[in-house]
Coordinates of all heavy atoms in Angstrom, one line a residue:
M11 N 87.3 106.3 103.5 CA 87.0 107.4 104.4 C 88.2 108.2 104.6 O 89.4 107.7 104.4 CB 86.5 106.9 105.7 CG 87.5 106.1 106.5 SD 86.9 105.6 108.1 CE 88.4 105.5 109.0
K12 N 88.0 109.5 104.9 CA 89.1 110.4 105.1 C 89.4 110.4 106.6 O 88.5 110.5 107.4 CB 88.7 111.8 104.7 CG 89.8 112.8 104.5 CD 90.7 112.5 103.3 CE 90.2 113.0 102.0 NZ 91.1 112.7 100.9
A13 N 90.7 110.2 107.0 CA 91.1 110.2 108.4 C 92.2 111.2 108.7 O 93.1 111.4 107.8 CB 91.6 108.8 108.8
F14 N 92.1 111.8 109.8 CA 93.2 112.7 110.3 C 94.2 111.9 111.1 O 93.8 111.2 112.0 CB 92.6 113.9 111.1 CG 93.6 114.9 111.5 CD1 94.3 115.7 110.6 CD2 94.0 115.0 112.9 CE1 95.2 116.6 110.9 CE2 94.9 116.0 113.2 CZ 95.6 116.8 112.3
V15 N 95.4 111.8 110.6 CA 96.3 110.8 111.2 C 97.6 111.5 111.7 O 98.0 112.6 111.2 CB 96.7 109.7 110.2 CG1 95.4 109.0 109.7 CG2 97.4 110.3 109.0
M16 N 98.3 110.7 112.5 CA 99.7 111.0 112.9 C 100.5 110.2 111.9 O 100.4 108.9 111.9 CB 100.0 110.5 114.3 CG 101.5 110.5 114.6 SD 101.7 109.8 116.3 CE 103.4 109.4 116.2
K17 N 101.1 110.8 110.9 CA 101.9 110.1 109.9 C 103.1 109.5 110.5 O 103.5 108.4 110.2 CB 102.2 111.0 108.7 CG 101.0 111.5 108.0 CD 101.3 112.3 106.7 CE 100.1 112.5 105.9 NZ 100.4 113.2 104.7
R18 N 103.8 110.2 111.4 CA 104.9 109.8 112.2 C 105.1 110.8 113.3 O 104.4 111.8 113.3 CB 106.2 109.7 111.3 CG 106.6 111.0 110.6 CD 107.6 110.8 109.5 NE 107.2 109.9 108.5 CZ 106.4 110.3 107.4 NH1 106.0 111.5 107.3 NH2 106.1 109.4 106.5
I19 N 106.0 110.6 114.2 CA 106.2 111.5 115.3 C 106.4 112.9 114.7 O 107.3 113.1 113.9 CB 107.4 111.1 116.2 CG1 107.0 109.8 116.9 CG2 107.7 112.2 117.2 CD1 108.1 109.2 117.8
G20 N 105.6 113.9 115.2 CA 105.7 115.3 114.8 C 105.1 115.6 113.5 O 105.1 116.8 113.1
E21 N 104.4 114.7 112.8 CA 103.8 115.0 111.5 C 102.4 114.5 111.4 O 102.2 113.3 111.7 CB 104.6 114.5 110.4 CG 104.0 114.8 109.0 CD 104.9 114.3 107.9 OE1 106.0 113.8 108.1 OE2 104.3 114.3 106.7
V22 N 101.4 115.4 111.1 CA 100.0 114.9 110.9 C 99.6 115.3 109.5 O 100.2 116.1 108.8 CB 99.1 115.6 112.0 CG1 99.5 115.2 113.4 CG2 99.1 117.1 111.8
G23 N 98.4 114.7 109.2 CA 97.8 115.0 107.9 C 96.6 114.2 107.6 O 96.2 113.4 108.5
F24 N 96.0 114.3 106.5 CA 94.8 113.5 106.1 C 95.3 112.3 105.2 O 96.2 112.4 104.5 CB 93.8 114.4 105.4 CG 93.1 115.3 106.3 CD1 93.6 116.6 106.4 CD2 92.0 114.9 107.1 CE1 92.9 117.5 107.3 CE2 91.4 115.8 107.9 CZ 91.9 117.1 108.0
L25 N 94.5 111.2 105.4 CA 94.8 110.0 104.7 C 93.5 109.3 104.3 O 92.6 109.3 105.1 CB 95.7 109.1 105.6 CG 96.4 108.0 105.0 CD1 97.5 108.4 104.0 CD2 97.1 107.1 106.1
D26 N 93.4 108.7 103.2 CA 92.3 107.8 102.8 C 92.5 106.5 103.4 O 93.6 105.9 103.3 CB 92.1 107.7 101.3 CG 91.6 109.0 100.7 OD1 90.6 109.5 101.3 OD2 92.1 109.4 99.7
K27 N 91.5 106.0 104.2 CA 91.5 104.7 104.8 C 90.3 103.9 104.5 O 89.2 104.5 104.2 CB 91.7 104.8 106.3 CG 93.0 105.3 106.8 CD 93.1 105.1 108.3 CE 94.6 105.3 108.8 NZ 94.7 104.9 110.2
P28 N 90.3 102.6 104.5 CA 89.1 101.8 104.2 C 88.1 101.9 105.4 O 88.5 102.1 106.5 CB 89.6 100.4 104.1 CG 90.9 100.3 104.8 CD 91.5 101.7 104.7
M29 N 86.8 101.9 105.0 CA 85.8 101.9 106.0 C 85.9 100.6 106.9 O 86.0 99.5 106.3 CB 84.4 102.0 105.3 CG 83.3 102.2 106.3 SD 83.3 104.0 106.8 CE 81.5 104.1 107.2
P30 N 85.9 100.7 108.2 CA 86.0 99.5 109.0 C 84.7 98.8 109.0 O 83.6 99.3 108.7 CB 86.3 100.1 110.4 CG 85.8 101.5 110.4 CD 85.9 102.0 109.0
S31 N 84.8 97.5 109.3 CA 83.6 96.6 109.4 C 83.4 96.4 110.9 O 84.3 96.1 111.6 CB 83.7 95.3 108.7 OG 83.9 95.5 107.3
P32 N 82.1 96.4 111.4 CA 81.9 96.2 112.8 C 82.0 94.7 113.2 O 81.6 93.8 112.4 CB 80.5 96.7 113.1 CG 79.8 96.5 111.8 CD 80.9 96.7 110.7
G33 N 82.6 94.5 114.4 CA 82.5 93.1 115.0 C 81.1 92.9 115.5 O 80.3 93.8 115.5
P34 N 80.8 91.7 116.1 CA 79.4 91.5 116.5 C 78.9 92.5 117.5 O 77.7 92.7 117.5 CB 79.6 90.1 117.2 CG 80.8 89.5 116.7 CD 81.7 90.6 116.3
N35 N 79.7 93.0 118.4 CA 79.2 94.0 119.4 C 79.6 95.4 119.1 O 79.6 96.3 120.0 CB 79.7 93.5 120.8 CG 79.2 92.2 121.2 OD1 78.0 92.0 121.3 ND2 80.1 91.3 121.5
D36 N 80.0 95.7 117.9 CA 80.5 97.0 117.6 C 79.5 97.8 116.7 O 78.6 97.3 116.1 CB 81.8 96.9 116.7 CG 82.9 96.2 117.5 OD1 82.9 96.3 118.8 OD2 83.8 95.6 116.9
A37 N 79.8 99.1 116.6 CA 79.1 100.0 115.7 C 80.1 100.8 115.0 O 81.1 101.2 115.5 CB 78.1 100.9 116.4
V38 N 79.9 101.1 113.7 CA 80.7 102.0 112.9 C 80.0 103.3 112.8 O 78.8 103.3 112.5 CB 81.0 101.4 111.5 CG1 81.7 102.5 110.7 CG2 81.8 100.1 111.6
V39 N 80.6 104.4 113.3 CA 80.0 105.7 113.3 C 80.6 106.6 112.2 O 81.8 106.7 112.1 CB 80.2 106.3 114.7 CG1 79.6 107.7 114.7 CG2 79.5 105.5 115.8
R40 N 79.8 107.2 111.4 CA 80.2 108.2 110.4 C 80.4 109.5 111.2 O 79.4 110.1 111.6 CB 79.3 108.4 109.3 CG 79.8 109.3 108.2 CD 78.8 109.4 107.0 NE 77.5 109.8 107.4 CZ 77.1 111.1 107.7 NH1 78.0 112.1 107.6 NH2 75.9 111.4 108.1
T41 N 81.6 109.9 111.5 CA 81.9 111.1 112.3 C 81.4 112.3 111.6 O 81.7 112.5 110.4 CB 83.4 111.2 112.6 OG1 83.8 110.0 113.2 CG2 83.8 112.4 113.4
T42 N 80.7 113.2 112.3 CA 80.3 114.5 111.8 C 81.2 115.6 112.4 O 81.4 116.6 111.8 CB 78.8 114.8 112.0 OG1 78.5 114.6 113.4 CG2 78.0 113.8 111.1
S43 N 81.6 115.4 113.6 CA 82.5 116.4 114.3 C 83.4 115.6 115.3 O 82.9 114.6 115.9 CB 81.8 117.4 115.1 OG 81.0 118.3 114.3
A44 N 84.6 116.0 115.4 CA 85.6 115.3 116.3 C 86.5 116.4 116.9 O 86.7 117.4 116.3 CB 86.3 114.2 115.6
L45 N 87.1 116.0 118.0 CA 88.1 116.8 118.7 C 89.5 116.2 118.6 O 89.6 115.0 118.6 CB 87.7 117.0 120.1 CG 86.3 117.6 120.4 CD1 86.0 117.5 121.9 CD2 86.2 119.0 119.9
I46 N 90.4 117.1 118.6 CA 91.8 116.6 118.9 C 92.1 117.1 120.3 O 92.0 118.3 120.6 CB 92.8 117.3 117.9 CG1 92.4 116.9 116.5 CG2 94.2 116.9 118.2 CD1 92.4 115.4 116.2
C47 N 92.4 116.2 121.2 CA 92.6 116.5 122.6 C 94.1 116.5 123.0 O 94.9 116.1 122.1 CB 91.7 115.7 123.5 SG 92.4 114.0 123.8
T48 N 94.4 116.7 124.2 CA 95.8 116.8 124.7 C 96.4 115.4 124.5 O 97.6 115.3 124.3 CB 95.9 117.3 126.1 OG1 95.0 116.5 126.9 CG2 95.5 118.7 126.2
S49 N 95.7 114.3 124.7 CA 96.3 113.0 124.5 C 96.7 112.8 123.0 O 97.8 112.2 122.8 CB 95.4 111.9 125.0 OG 94.2 111.8 124.3
D50 N 96.0 113.4 122.1 CA 96.4 113.3 120.7 C 97.7 114.1 120.5 O 98.6 113.6 119.8 CB 95.4 113.8 119.8 CG 94.1 113.0 119.7 OD1 94.2 111.7 119.6 OD2 93.0 113.5 119.8
S51 N 97.8 115.3 121.1 CA 99.0 116.1 121.0 C 100.2 115.4 121.6 O 101.3 115.4 121.1 CB 98.8 117.4 121.8 OG 97.8 118.2 121.2
H52 N 99.9 114.7 122.8 CA 101.0 113.9 123.4 C 101.4 112.8 122.5 O 102.6 112.5 122.4 CB 100.4 113.3 124.7 CG 101.3 112.5 125.5 ND1 102.4 112.9 126.2 CD2 101.3 111.1 125.7 CE1 103.0 111.9 126.8 NE2 102.4 110.8 126.5
T53 N 100.5 112.1 121.8 CA 100.8 111.0 120.9 C 101.7 111.5 119.7 O 102.7 111.0 119.4 CB 99.5 110.4 120.4 OG1 98.8 109.8 121.5 CG2 99.8 109.3 119.3
V54 N 101.2 112.7 119.2 CA 102.0 113.2 118.0 C 103.4 113.6 118.4 O 104.3 113.5 117.6 CB 101.2 114.4 117.4 CG1 102.0 115.1 116.3 CG2 99.9 113.9 116.8
A55 N 103.5 114.1 119.7 CA 104.9 114.5 120.2 C 105.8 113.3 120.5 O 106.9 113.4 120.8 CB 104.7 115.3 121.4
G56 N 105.2 112.1 120.3 CA 106.0 110.9 120.5 C 105.8 110.2 121.9 O 106.5 109.3 122.3
G57 N 104.8 110.7 122.6 CA 104.5 110.2 124.0 C 104.2 108.7 124.1 O 104.4 108.1 125.2
I58 N 103.7 108.1 123.1 CA 103.5 106.6 123.2 C 104.4 105.9 122.2 O 104.2 104.7 122.0 CB 102.0 106.3 122.9 CG1 101.6 106.7 121.4 CG2 101.0 107.0 123.9 CD1 100.2 106.1 121.0
G59 N 105.4 106.5 121.8 CA 106.4 105.9 120.9 C 106.0 106.0 119.4 O 105.0 106.6 119.1
P60 N 106.8 105.5 118.6 CA 106.6 105.7 117.1 C 105.3 105.0 116.7 O 105.0 103.9 117.1 CB 107.8 104.9 116.5 CG 108.8 104.7 117.6 CD 108.0 104.7 118.9
R61 N 104.6 105.7 115.8 CA 103.4 105.1 115.2 C 103.4 105.7 113.8 O 103.9 106.7 113.5 CB 102.1 105.6 115.9 CG 101.9 105.2 117.3 CD 101.7 103.6 117.4 NE 101.3 103.2 118.7 CZ 102.1 102.9 119.7 NH1 103.4 103.1 119.6 NH2 101.7 102.5 120.9
E62 N 102.7 104.9 112.9 CA 102.7 105.4 111.5 C 101.2 105.3 111.1 O 100.5 104.3 111.2 CB 103.5 104.4 110.6 CG 103.6 104.9 109.2 CD 104.6 104.0 108.4 OE1 105.8 103.8 108.9 OE2 104.3 103.6 107.3
D63 N 100.7 106.5 110.6 CA 99.4 106.6 110.0 C 98.3 106.2 111.1 O 97.3 105.6 110.7 CB 99.2 105.8 108.7 CG 100.1 106.3 107.6 OD1 100.6 107.5 107.7 OD2 100.5 105.5 106.8
L64 N 98.5 106.6 112.3 CA 97.6 106.4 113.4 C 96.4 107.4 113.3 O 96.7 108.6 113.4 CB 98.3 106.5 114.7 CG 97.4 106.3 116.0 CD1 96.9 104.9 116.1 CD2 98.2 106.7 117.2
T65 N 95.2 107.0 113.3 CA 94.0 107.9 113.2 C 93.9 108.6 114.6 O 94.0 107.9 115.6 CB 92.8 107.1 113.0 OG1 92.9 106.4 111.7 CG2 91.5 108.0 112.9
L66 N 93.7 109.9 114.5 CA 93.6 110.7 115.7 C 92.1 111.1 115.9 O 91.3 111.0 115.0 CB 94.5 112.0 115.6 CG 96.0 111.7 115.5 CD1 96.7 113.0 115.1 CD2 96.5 111.1 116.7
G67 N 91.8 111.7 117.0 CA 90.4 112.2 117.3 C 89.5 111.2 117.8 O 88.7 110.6 117.1
H68 N 89.7 110.8 119.1 CA 88.9 109.8 119.7 C 87.7 110.3 120.5 O 87.1 109.5 121.2 CB 89.8 108.9 120.6 CG 90.5 109.7 121.6 ND1 91.8 110.1 121.5 CD2 90.1 110.1 122.8 CE1 92.1 110.8 122.5 NE2 91.1 110.8 123.4
E69 N 87.3 111.5 120.3 CA 86.1 112.1 121.0 C 85.3 112.7 119.9 O 85.7 113.7 119.3 CB 86.5 113.1 122.1 CG 87.4 112.5 123.1 CD 88.2 113.5 124.0 OE1 87.8 114.7 123.9 OE2 89.0 113.0 124.7
A70 N 84.1 112.1 119.6 CA 83.4 112.6 118.4 C 81.9 112.4 118.6 O 81.4 111.8 119.5 CB 83.9 111.7 117.2
V71 N 81.2 113.0 117.6 CA 79.8 112.8 117.5 C 79.6 112.4 116.0 O 80.4 112.7 115.1 CB 78.9 114.0 117.8 CG1 79.0 114.4 119.3 CG2 79.3 115.2 116.9
G72 N 78.5 111.7 115.8 CA 78.2 111.2 114.4 C 76.9 110.4 114.3 O 76.1 110.5 115.2
V73 N 76.9 109.7 113.2 CA 75.7 108.9 112.8 C 76.1 107.5 112.7 O 77.1 107.2 112.0 CB 75.0 109.5 111.6 CG1 73.8 108.6 111.2 CG2 74.6 110.9 111.7
V74 N 75.4 106.6 113.3 CA 75.7 105.2 113.2 C 75.5 104.8 111.7 O 74.4 105.0 111.1 CB 74.8 104.3 114.1 CG1 75.0 102.8 113.8 CG2 75.0 104.6 115.6
A75 N 76.5 104.2 111.1 CA 76.5 103.7 109.7 C 76.2 102.2 109.6 O 75.5 101.8 108.7 CB 77.8 104.0 109.1
E76 N 76.7 101.5 110.6 CA 76.5 100.0 110.5 C 76.7 99.5 111.9 O 77.5 100.0 112.7 CB 77.6 99.4 109.6 CG 77.4 98.0 109.3 CD 78.5 97.5 108.3 OE1 79.3 98.3 107.8 OE2 78.5 96.3 108.0
V77 N 75.9 98.4 112.3 CA 76.1 97.8 113.6 C 76.4 96.3 113.4 O 76.0 95.7 112.4 CB 74.8 98.0 114.5 CG1 74.6 99.4 114.8 CG2 73.6 97.3 113.8
G78 N 77.0 95.7 114.4 CA 77.3 94.3 114.4 C 76.0 93.4 114.7 O 75.0 94.0 115.1
S79 N 76.2 92.1 114.5 CA 75.0 91.2 114.6 C 74.4 91.2 116.0 O 73.2 90.8 116.1 CB 75.4 89.8 114.1 OG 76.5 89.3 115.0
E80 N 75.1 91.5 117.0 CA 74.6 91.4 118.4 C 74.1 92.7 119.0 O 73.6 92.8 120.1 CB 75.7 90.8 119.3 CG 76.2 89.4 118.9 CD 75.0 88.4 118.9 OE1 74.2 88.4 119.8 OE2 75.0 87.6 118.0
V81 N 74.3 93.8 118.2 CA 73.9 95.1 118.7 C 72.4 95.3 118.6 O 71.8 95.1 117.6 CB 74.6 96.2 117.9 CG1 74.1 97.6 118.4 CG2 76.1 96.1 118.1
R82 N 71.8 95.6 119.8 CA 70.3 95.8 119.8 C 69.9 97.3 120.2 O 68.8 97.7 119.8 CB 69.7 94.9 120.9 CG 70.0 93.4 120.6 CD 69.2 92.9 119.4 NE 69.4 91.5 119.2 CZ 70.3 91.0 118.3 NH1 71.0 91.8 117.6 NH2 70.5 89.7 118.2
A83 N 70.8 98.0 120.8 CA 70.4 99.3 121.3 C 70.6 100.5 120.3 O 70.1 101.6 120.5 CB 71.2 99.7 122.6
F84 N 71.3 100.2 119.2 CA 71.6 101.2 118.2 C 71.3 100.6 116.9 O 71.4 99.4 116.6 CB 73.0 101.7 118.3 CG 73.4 102.3 119.6 CD1 74.0 101.5 120.6 CD2 73.2 103.6 119.8 CE1 74.4 102.1 121.8 CE2 73.5 104.2 121.1 CZ 74.1 103.4 122.0
R85 N 71.0 101.5 115.9 CA 70.7 101.1 114.6 C 71.2 102.2 113.6 O 71.4 103.3 114.0 CB 69.3 100.7 114.3 CG 68.3 101.9 114.5 CD 66.9 101.4 114.3 NE 66.1 102.1 115.4 CZ 64.9 101.8 115.7 NH1 64.3 100.8 115.1 NH2 64.2 102.4 116.6
P86 N 71.5 101.8 112.4 CA 72.0 102.8 111.4 C 71.0 104.0 111.4 O 69.8 103.9 111.4 CB 71.9 102.1 110.1 CG 72.2 100.6 110.5 CD 71.5 100.5 111.8
G87 N 71.6 105.2 111.4 CA 70.9 106.5 111.4 C 70.8 107.1 112.7 O 70.5 108.3 112.8
D88 N 71.1 106.4 113.8 CA 71.0 107.0 115.1 C 72.2 108.0 115.3 O 73.3 107.7 114.9 CB 71.2 105.9 116.2 CG 70.0 105.1 116.4 OD1 68.9 105.4 115.9 OD2 70.1 104.0 117.1
R89 N 71.9 109.2 115.9 CA 72.9 110.1 116.2 C 73.5 109.8 117.5 O 72.8 109.5 118.5 CB 72.4 111.6 116.2 CG 71.9 112.0 114.8 CD 71.4 113.5 114.8 NE 72.5 114.4 115.3 CZ 73.5 114.8 114.6 NH1 73.6 114.4 113.3 NH2 74.4 115.6 115.1
V90 N 74.8 109.7 117.6 CA 75.5 109.3 118.8 C 76.7 110.1 119.2 O 77.3 110.8 118.3 CB 76.0 107.8 118.7 CG1 74.8 106.8 118.5 CG2 76.9 107.6 117.5
L91 N 77.1 110.0 120.4 CA 78.3 110.6 121.0 C 79.3 109.4 121.2 O 78.9 108.4 121.7 CB 78.1 111.3 122.3 CG 79.3 111.9 123.0 CD1 78.8 113.2 123.7 CD2 79.9 110.9 124.0
V92 N 80.5 109.6 120.8 CA 81.6 108.6 121.0 C 82.5 109.2 122.1 O 83.2 110.1 121.9 CB 82.4 108.3 119.7 CG1 83.5 107.3 119.9 CG2 81.5 107.9 118.6
G93 N 82.5 108.5 123.2 CA 83.3 109.0 124.4 C 84.7 108.6 124.2 O 85.1 107.7 123.4
A94 N 85.6 109.3 124.9 CA 87.0 109.0 124.8 C 87.4 107.6 125.3 O 88.4 107.1 124.8 CB 87.8 110.1 125.6
I95 N 86.7 107.1 126.2 CA 87.0 105.8 126.8 C 85.8 104.9 126.5 O 84.7 105.2 126.6 CB 87.1 105.9 128.3 CG1 88.2 106.9 128.7 CG2 87.4 104.5 128.9 CD1 89.6 106.6 128.3
T96 N 86.2 103.7 126.0 CA 85.1 102.6 125.7 C 85.0 101.8 127.0 O 85.9 101.1 127.4 CB 85.6 101.8 124.6 OG1 85.8 102.6 123.4 CG2 84.5 100.7 124.3
P97 N 83.8 101.8 127.6 CA 83.6 101.0 128.8 C 83.6 99.5 128.5 O 83.4 99.1 127.3 CB 82.1 101.4 129.3 CG 81.8 102.6 128.5 CD 82.6 102.6 127.2
D98 N 83.8 98.7 129.5 CA 83.6 97.3 129.4 C 82.1 97.0 129.5 O 81.6 97.0 130.7 CB 84.4 96.6 130.4 CG 84.2 95.1 130.4 OD1 83.4 94.6 129.6 OD2 84.9 94.4 131.1
W99 N 81.4 96.8 128.4 CA 80.0 96.6 128.5 C 79.5 95.4 129.2 O 78.4 95.2 129.5 CB 79.4 96.7 127.1 CG 79.6 98.1 126.5 CD1 80.4 98.4 125.5 CD2 78.9 99.3 126.9 NE1 80.4 99.8 125.3 CE2 79.5 100.3 126.1 CE3 78.0 99.6 127.9 CZ2 79.1 101.7 126.3 CZ3 77.6 101.0 128.1 CH2 78.2 102.0 127.2
G100 N 80.5 94.5 129.5 CA 80.2 93.3 130.2 C 80.3 93.5 131.7 O 79.8 92.7 132.5
D101 N 80.8 94.6 132.1 CA 80.9 95.0 133.6 C 79.5 95.3 134.1 O 78.7 96.0 133.5 CB 81.8 96.2 133.7 CG 82.1 96.6 135.1 OD1 81.2 96.9 135.8 OD2 83.3 96.6 135.5
P102 N 79.2 94.8 135.4 CA 77.9 95.0 136.0 C 77.5 96.5 136.1 O 76.4 96.9 135.9 CB 78.0 94.4 137.3 CG 79.0 93.3 137.2 CD 80.0 93.8 136.2
A103 N 78.5 97.3 136.3 CA 78.2 98.8 136.4 C 77.7 99.3 135.1 O 76.8 100.1 135.0 CB 79.5 99.6 136.9
A104 N 78.4 98.9 134.0 CA 77.9 99.4 132.7 C 76.5 98.8 132.4 O 75.7 99.5 131.8 CB 78.9 98.9 131.6
Q105 N 76.3 97.6 132.7 CA 75.0 97.0 132.4 C 73.9 97.6 133.2 O 72.7 97.6 132.9 CB 75.1 95.5 132.6 CG 75.9 94.8 131.5 CD 75.9 93.3 131.6 OE1 75.1 92.7 132.4 NE2 76.7 92.7 130.7
G106 N 74.3 98.2 134.4 CA 73.3 98.8 135.3 C 73.1 100.3 134.9 O 72.4 101.0 135.6
G107 N 73.7 100.7 133.8 CA 73.4 102.1 133.3 C 74.5 103.1 133.8 O 74.3 104.3 133.6
H108 N 75.6 102.6 134.4 CA 76.6 103.5 134.9 C 78.0 103.2 134.1 O 78.9 102.8 134.7 CB 76.8 103.3 136.4 CG 75.5 103.6 137.1 ND1 75.0 104.8 137.3 CD2 74.6 102.7 137.6 CE1 73.9 104.7 138.0 NE2 73.6 103.4 138.2
A109 N 77.9 103.4 132.8 CA 79.1 103.0 132.0 C 80.4 103.7 132.4 O 81.5 103.2 132.3 CB 78.8 103.3 130.5
S110 N 80.2 105.0 132.9 CA 81.4 105.7 133.2 C 82.1 105.2 134.5 O 83.2 105.5 134.9 CB 81.1 107.2 133.4 OG 80.2 107.4 134.5
Q111 N 81.4 104.3 135.2 CA 81.9 103.7 136.5 C 82.5 102.3 136.2 O 83.0 101.7 137.2 CB 80.8 103.6 137.5 CG 80.1 104.9 137.8 CD 81.0 105.9 138.4 OE1 81.8 105.6 139.3 NE2 80.9 107.1 137.8
S112 N 82.4 101.8 135.0 CA 82.9 100.5 134.7 C 84.4 100.5 134.4 O 85.0 101.5 134.2 CB 82.2 99.9 133.6 OG 82.6 100.4 132.4
S113 N 85.0 99.3 134.4 CA 86.3 99.2 133.9 C 86.3 99.5 132.4 O 85.2 99.7 131.8 CB 86.9 97.8 134.2 OG 86.0 96.8 133.6
T114 N 87.5 99.5 131.8 CA 87.5 99.9 130.4 C 88.0 98.7 129.5 O 88.7 97.8 130.0 CB 88.5 101.0 130.1 OG1 89.8 100.7 130.5 CG2 88.0 102.3 130.8
S115 N 87.6 98.6 128.3 CA 88.0 97.6 127.4 C 88.9 98.3 126.4 O 89.3 99.5 126.5 CB 86.9 96.9 126.7 OG 86.2 97.9 125.9
S116 N 89.3 97.6 125.3 CA 90.1 98.3 124.3 C 89.4 99.4 123.7 O 88.1 99.5 123.7 CB 90.4 97.2 123.2 OG 89.3 96.8 122.6
S117 N 90.1 100.4 123.2 CA 89.5 101.6 122.6 C 88.7 101.2 121.4 O 89.0 100.2 120.7 CB 90.6 102.5 122.2 OG 90.1 103.6 121.4
G118 N 87.7 102.0 121.2 CA 86.9 101.8 120.0 C 87.5 102.4 118.8 O 86.9 102.3 117.7
S119 N 88.6 103.0 118.9 CA 89.2 103.6 117.7 C 89.9 102.5 116.8 O 90.1 101.4 117.2 CB 90.3 104.6 118.1 OG 91.3 104.0 118.8
W120 N 90.1 102.9 115.6 CA 90.7 102.0 114.7 C 92.0 102.6 114.2 O 92.3 103.7 114.3 CB 89.8 101.8 113.5 CG 89.3 103.0 112.9 CD1 89.9 103.8 112.0 CD2 88.1 103.7 113.2 NE1 89.2 104.9 111.7 CE2 88.0 104.8 112.4 CE3 87.0 103.4 114.1 CZ2 87.0 105.7 112.5 CZ3 86.0 104.3 114.1 CH2 86.0 105.4 113.4
S121 N 92.9 101.7 113.7 CA 94.2 102.2 113.3 C 94.3 102.2 111.9 O 94.3 102.5 111.0 CB 95.3 101.3 113.9 OG 95.0 100.0 113.5
Ligands
LIG213 ZN1 91.0 112.6 124.6

């Protein structure tokens, strides 16, 4: 897959990366549109320290390509929005339909 990356502090570009495989509770989304936001700019400027070939663009829309073995709410072909923050789906607020009110887990982005 083609990824827009921070090659190193102050330098961005495109890179070919392997398609990720979903974990049991994950989905892999084929991005159709994505944004570069101010946190990406901060990252490229060195705000989180040195990184190499870090994929940028954590706010996107796309189509589900593959789901993990435990995923029931989504299936390949579903059109989805990928939010900037990945909720903790085990949190009662998220399970009650208020994902934006839950604590957060690790980002759904890949490196
Ligand atoms: Zn953002």
Side-chain angles (χ1 to χ4, degrees):
M11 67 179 205
K12 197 67 83 178
F14 184 65
V15 301
M16 168 185 163
K17 293 185 172 183
R18 58 192 60 82
I19 292 176
E21 183 181 347
V22 297
F24 288 95
L25 195 65
D26 286 315
K27 289 193 167 189
M29 188 76 154
S31 297
N35 296 304
D36 298 332
V38 174
V39 176
R40 184 178 57 78
T41 301
T42 54
S43 293
L45 303 172
I46 300 299
C47 78
T48 54
S49 59
D50 292 312
S51 299
H52 178 73
T53 297
V54 173
I58 63 169
R61 297 291 190 277
E62 189 171 310
D63 299 335
L64 175 69
T65 302
L66 300 171
H68 56 263
E69 300 163 12
V71 294
V73 178
V74 174
E76 186 177 359
V77 297
S79 60
E80 301 299 318
V81 175
R82 302 289 179 264
F84 299 95
R85 62 183 140 195
D88 287 347
R89 295 186 55 78
V90 294
L91 176 147
V92 180
I95 304 295
T96 302
D98 177 356
W99 295 108
D101 185 297
Q105 292 187 4
H108 305 284
S110 65
Q111 305 298 314
S112 76
S113 58
T114 59
S115 65
S116 62
S117 170
S119 63
W120 51 85
S121 56

